[in-house]
Amino acid sequence: MVYTIISFLIIGAILLIDKRKLKKYKNSRKDLWVYFGILGFGSVLLLIHSSGRTLPTPLYWISAVLKPIISIF
């Protein structure tokens, strides 16, 4: 629980620090979508990790996708 609160504080600090920079990109919606997408994805991973759950490695997901393709050949 403590790590989750610390994670939220870190995410809030990142948004406060980047607040001025984000005002410059007010007209560029694509940049904002990419920024918030990456920040959101990283925040979700941070919260999952801080809750004590183990995250699978990217190699596991790559092998899960490629294994059916390789079995065809």
Side-chain angles (χ1 to χ4, degrees):
M1 181 69 179
V2 174
Y3 293 119
T4 306
I5 295 171
I6 292 172
S7 300
F8 278 123
L9 290 174
I10 290 171
I11 295 165
I14 290 171
L15 286 174
L16 284 175
I17 291 170
D18 288 342
K19 187 177 179 181
R20 285 185 242 145
K21 294 178 185 177
L22 291 175
K23 286 183 182 179
K24 286 193 284 186
Y25 295 109
K26 195 173 190 179
N27 296 330
S28 180
R29 296 224 181 242
K30 289 180 185 177
D31 291 340
L32 289 175
W33 276 105
V34 169
Y35 176 78
F36 283 117
I38 292 172
L39 182 66
F41 183 70
S43 301
V44 167
L45 289 178
L46 179 67
L47 290 172
I48 291 171
H49 183 69
S50 68
S51 68
R53 298 180 187 227
T54 58
L55 295 171
T57 64
L59 186 59
Y60 173 78
W61 294 104
I62 292 170
S63 66
V65 170
L66 293 179
K67 196 176 270 188
I69 296 171
I70 292 172
S71 67
I72 293 172
F73 297 109

